Amino acid sequence: MKWYSNKGEHSDVVLSTRIRFARNLKDYPFPARLSTVEKEKVNEIMRDIFLAADSGEKLTYTEMKALSSVAAVSLAEKHLISPEFASDPNGRALLLSEDEDVSIMLCEEDHARIQVILPGLALEDAYEKALKFDKALEEKAAIAFDRNLGYLTQCPTNLGTGMRASVMLHLPALAENGVIARLAATVAKLGLTLRGVYGNTSRFVGSLFQLSNQVTLGISEQAAVQNLNAIALQIAEQETQARQALLKDDAFIDRIWRAYGILTSAHMIGCDEFCDLLSLVRLGAAQGIVDLPLETLSRLLIEMQPATINAKQGESLSQRERDVFRAEAVKKALSRKQ
Amino acid sequence: MKWYSNKGEHSDVVLSTRIRFARNLKDYPFPARLSTVEKEKVNEIMRDIFLAADSGEKLTYTEMKALSSVAAVSLAEKHLISPEFASDPNGRALLLSEDEDVSIMLCEEDHARIQVILPGLALEDAYEKALKFDKALEEKAAIAFDRNLGYLTQCPTNLGTGMRASVMLHLPALAENGVIARLAATVAKLGLTLRGVYGNTSRFVGSLFQLSNQVTLGISEQAAVQNLNAIALQIAEQETQARQALLKDDAFIDRIWRAYGILTSAHMIGCDEFCDLLSLVRLGAAQGIVDLPLETLSRLLIEMQPATINAKQGESLSQRERDVFRAEAVKKALSRKQ
């Protein structure tokens, strides 16, 4: 079972939690300064260490050049790799667990990017899980570390803990109320970043937001995780209150049901519209208006992304064919449980 | 069973057929020149004649002042009486058959307006049925008739046959193609009128149109009926061809299914929007895309009109309450048969 098919804590607002460690071998320059052959050497060292780690996870090693570009973009849509990593396969490899909750990018910006992603708000669990791989790495290899700067990374913004912690939040009510920009400004003062996952700053497709720690220097990993956790809980509480106010309005209930009607009936549907309608239905499901499991909706959100559809269909569909496929798949997924 | 719960000939395009005779007693002035007491006298004469007629119909006699204004407007929404007749109850009465296929307005513009309405294209049947009442009237009373002018009516446009024949057409494809104005100009040259049933000339709500004979002088009733029938069949054929062309486009199929999705899911829905969405779904049902009986859709179109909802609910609902009631009723009616 993929991680995104499960439901986690506070999943009415928090879709997922992600922890990522950036680590580099002391004896090798950063990937940007390595040849493809040298990168492959680094990847092999990393592969052997991580596959041998006592993590309880069964990892699969894949050289990125063995994947089609569609398969690579699909991994990016699932947030398992970065779009940048997907764009160039040379000298790059990926370690991926069966549940897709652990993914380790080798020779992206840094030698290793250890990532754990879990459903709901689960920062402690994700942190502990990522730590196992980090410890395995530190036991077996010399890591680039400076007493004053902490972990050394190619990009200075990662210096220090080398850790990025983030949660994906579904904030349809706060977005509806137009308070996202103010909220983003507030959390920025607390060392965090809030940004839309899809769309741009003028239009947040699907009302999905990523809240992540920005400061990696002068703060412990534990403190950063606790800080993010506390603020995520506060935002979740604000969103919950905003939802309750919105749902007093029949017209908003109507929008939720119309979104449901279109998702269960349309003959074709584009990705952005799908995300926006799913956002409304997810809100309805989270608040007990629409009887649908949140896991189904979270899974759809990932599976209905363009490259993920193409990867699953095993061919490059035209946009129109994909829109028809998406509509059919969504209809099927949402009708099954009713 | 009300007439509109049944399916008739060519019902994919023709919703209903209506025949109306305007008749006046020779010995009384037109209603506009009668006092309320005199009108009541005329109504009693008419009542006794029509109730005794060997028509095979069971008519009920109702004085309009015995009805609430909501009930009266509801009758107008069902096209059983004219809006003008509904607006002033004084000295007016109605004879109505159980199926609501025969309605006789007493002391509207003329002493008697005999109307028969049947599902689908059924001009001959409707004409024959109306004729029975006309004959009963002519046998028992002296009718205002002039050898040169024919039947005398208050409005000169009805002089001659005193007959108005019409069919209600559902022309979503021709409306979509923007050819209604041209079509209306063409049929005008043939002595017919084509006009939108709901909305106005710039926007035809629900794509419903009435095609009726305009000429009543110098033409026999039979010729008028045959003329209308032939042109209705031609328009139906044009509409059918336009539909087949439209339905080759996935995007149009999508619009039909989205309309279905909203109708089966919305929490509230206004009358105009309902008519427009129902129009798309009716097109889908007529062309075998959506599996719904046309009778259900025709019945809904009448039952979901504002005053008809209020009349059925037995109280004057606010517009919002009515929109919620309509959405619930539509959802129930369309889901039942799936």
Side-chain angles (χ1 to χ4, degrees), chain A residues 34-329:
Chain A
L34 293 180
S35 68
T36 299
V37 173
E38 289 168 320
K39 285 180 189 170
E40 285 170 354
K41 176 69 192 153
V42 166
N43 293 347
E44 280 165 23
I45 295 170
M46 290 295 191
R47 177 194 66 193
D48 294 345
I49 292 172
F50 287 125
L51 287 181
D54 182 23
S55 64
E57 297 288 336
K58 192 173 167 249
L59 300 181
T60 305
Y61 178 81
T62 308
E63 293 186 355
M64 290 306 287
K65 66 186 177 195
L67 292 182
S68 70
S69 63
V70 164
V73 175
S74 167
L75 290 171
E77 285 175 350
K78 292 176 175 183
H79 310 290
L80 299 174
I81 63 175
S82 62
E84 201 280 324
F85 191 70
S87 69
D88 179 8
N90 283 318
R92 289 174 166 175
L94 177 70
L95 285 156
L96 189 61
S97 71
E98 226 169 357
D99 297 348
E100 299 185 354
D101 58 346
V102 179
S103 64
I104 306 179
M105 286 186 283
L106 300 179
C107 285
E108 196 233 26
E109 205 176 83
D110 297 297
H111 292 152
R113 286 274 177 104
I114 303 165
Q115 178 186 271
V116 172
I117 183 162
L118 292 177
L121 184 61
L123 280 158
E124 283 294 337
D125 289 352
Y127 176 71
E128 293 299 331
K129 202 165 207 171
L131 212 57
K132 283 184 188 171
F133 291 95
D134 186 35
K135 278 184 177 160
L137 186 60
E138 310 227 14
E139 278 168 17
K140 301 276 181 60
I143 299 301
F145 185 86
D146 177 273
R147 190 187 291 210
N148 293 315
L149 292 173
Y151 290 100
L152 300 178
T153 54
Q154 178 178 297
C155 180
T157 60
N158 290 317
L159 283 173
T161 60
M163 186 192 78
R164 185 80 74 204
S166 66
V167 288
M168 198 192 283
L169 303 170
H170 184 220
L171 306 177
L174 294 175
E176 177 74 18
N177 292 346
V179 299
I180 295 294
R182 202 171 61 206
L183 191 63
T186 305
V187 302
K189 291 177 194 156
L190 303 166
L192 301 182
T193 300
L194 182 73
R195 61 168 189 81
V197 173
Y198 303 119
N200 52 50
T201 49
S202 63
R203 182 167 133 61
F204 303 114
V205 175
S207 295
L208 288 173
F209 298 87
Q210 192 186 59
L211 179 72
S212 59
N213 70 320
Q214 199 62 8
V215 180
T216 51
L217 264 175
I219 183 171
S220 76
E221 292 167 350
Q222 285 86 349
V225 162
Q226 281 164 18
N227 184 32
L228 180 63
N229 192 62
I231 294 170
L233 282 173
Q234 270 186 36
I235 294 177
E237 177 57 27
Q238 283 181 39
E239 167 67 20
T240 300
Q241 285 180 16
R243 286 183 187 183
Q244 282 158 3
L246 270 185
L247 293 177
K248 284 182 187 147
D249 181 4
D250 258 4
F252 198 81
I253 302 275
D254 187 45
R255 279 176 57 196
I256 290 174
W257 278 114
R258 282 165 181 252
Y260 174 80
I262 293 173
L263 286 180
T264 52
S265 302
H267 176 61
M268 51 195 205
I269 191 161
C271 192
D272 280 7
E273 189 194 6
F274 162 74
C275 289
D276 283 337
L277 295 176
L278 195 80
S279 170
L280 283 164
V281 171
R282 191 182 199 282
L283 168 59
Q287 304 303 118
I289 292 161
V290 182
D291 184 21
L292 280 171
L294 290 176
E295 309 89 270
T296 302
L297 304 176
S298 299
R299 182 174 54 74
L300 271 182
L301 193 63
I302 283 174
E303 292 184 352
M304 293 301 112
Q305 298 297 322
T308 302
I309 288 178
N310 277 357
K312 203 167 181 181
Q313 288 305 94
E315 51 183 317
S316 207
L317 300 177
S318 72
Q319 190 185 317
R320 177 161 280 213
E321 288 168 334
R322 204 162 51 226
D323 289 353
V324 170
F325 175 87
R326 184 182 288 111
E328 286 303 315

Side-chain angles (χ1 to χ4, degrees), chain B residues 126-333:
Chain B
Y127 176 71
E128 293 298 331
K129 202 165 205 169
L131 212 57
K132 284 184 189 172
F133 292 95
D134 186 35
K135 280 185 176 159
L137 187 59
E138 312 226 13
E139 280 168 17
K140 301 275 180 62
I143 298 301
F145 186 85
D146 176 273
R147 190 187 293 212
N148 293 315
L149 292 172
Y151 291 100
L152 301 178
T153 54
Q154 178 177 298
C155 181
T157 61
N158 291 316
L159 282 174
T161 61
M163 185 191 80
R164 184 81 74 205
S166 66
V167 288
M168 198 191 283
L169 303 171
H170 184 221
L171 307 177
L174 294 176
E176 177 75 18
N177 292 346
V179 299
I180 295 294
R182 203 172 58 205
L183 191 62
T186 304
V187 301
K189 292 178 195 156
L190 303 165
L192 301 181
T193 300
L194 182 73
R195 61 168 188 80
V197 174
Y198 304 119
N200 53 49
T201 50
S202 64
R203 183 168 133 58
F204 303 113
V205 175
S207 296
L208 288 173
F209 298 87
Q210 193 187 59
L211 178 72
S212 58
N213 70 320
Q214 199 62 9
V215 180
T216 50
L217 263 175
I219 183 170
S220 74
E221 292 167 349
Q222 286 86 348
V225 162
Q226 280 164 17
N227 185 31
L228 180 64
N229 191 63
I231 295 171
L233 281 172
Q234 269 186 35
I235 294 178
E237 178 56 28
Q238 283 181 40
E239 167 67 20
T240 301
Q241 285 180 16
R243 287 182 187 183
Q244 281 158 3
L246 270 184
L247 293 177
K248 285 184 185 145
D249 181 5
D250 257 5
F252 197 83
I253 302 276
D254 186 46
R255 279 176 57 196
I256 290 174
W257 279 113
R258 283 164 181 252
Y260 173 81
I262 292 172
L263 286 180
T264 52
S265 302
H267 176 60
M268 52 196 202
I269 191 160
C271 192
D272 280 7
E273 189 194 6
F274 162 74
C275 289
D276 283 337
L277 295 176
L278 196 78
S279 170
L280 282 165
V281 171
R282 190 183 200 281
L283 168 60
Q287 304 302 118
I289 293 161
V290 183
D291 184 20
L292 279 171
L294 290 177
E295 309 89 90
T296 302
L297 303 176
S298 298
R299 182 175 54 74
L300 272 182
L301 192 63
I302 283 173
E303 291 184 353
M304 293 300 112
Q305 298 297 322
T308 303
I309 288 177
N310 278 356
K312 201 165 181 181
Q313 289 305 94
E315 52 182 317
S316 206
L317 301 176
S318 71
Q319 190 187 319
R320 178 162 278 214
E321 287 167 334
R322 205 162 50 227
D323 289 354
V324 170
F325 176 87
R326 183 182 291 111
E328 286 303 316
V330 168
K331 202 181 299 186
K332 210 170 146 194

